[in-house]
Amino acid sequence: QLTANEFDPALLLALRKLPVSLLYPLLLRELEDLSYDEIASILSIPNGTVMSRLFRARRLVRDRLTENAQQHTKQRVADDEL
């Protein structure tokens, strides 16, 4: 089991902002290493839905992490200019 201390805070925040319908498939795939078929069975959704939800979840997390990194970079530049 991983603890909250083992995750980047920005990642945890991005995950918390995901709707449950996207979060559960992502956690089952990435943390539990379940197959698409296993996730579909557990969540009682079609395999194609699992794939589309994983795509959307990964894209949202990536976009939020990118935004967060850009904000930190801008803040660092602003701080350096002072």
Side-chain angles (χ1 to χ4, degrees):
Q1 287 285 350
L2 296 173
T3 65
N5 294 339
E6 296 178 72
F7 288 99
D8 182 321
L11 175 59
L12 288 175
L13 181 60
L15 291 173
R16 283 190 194 112
K17 291 183 177 182
L18 285 178
V20 171
S21 63
L22 299 179
L23 178 63
Y24 286 176
L26 185 64
L27 294 179
L28 290 171
R29 179 68 179 166
E30 302 302 333
L31 296 182
E32 299 296 330
D33 200 30
L34 297 181
S35 71
Y36 291 172
D37 290 334
E38 291 170 317
I39 296 168
S41 176
I42 290 169
L43 299 177
S44 301
I45 58 176
N47 202 334
T49 302
V50 170
M51 294 188 315
S52 67
R53 288 183 183 179
L54 285 170
F55 174 82
R56 288 172 42 215
R58 289 174 179 143
R59 185 182 62 208
L60 283 170
V61 169
R62 182 194 66 223
D63 291 349
R64 287 179 179 146
L65 291 175
T66 301
E67 289 171 11
N68 189 326
Q70 290 172 345
Q71 288 173 353
H72 284 302
T73 300
K74 287 178 185 177
Q75 183 62 45
R76 239 188 346 232
V77 169
D79 290 345
D80 289 346
E81 291 175 351
L82 292 177

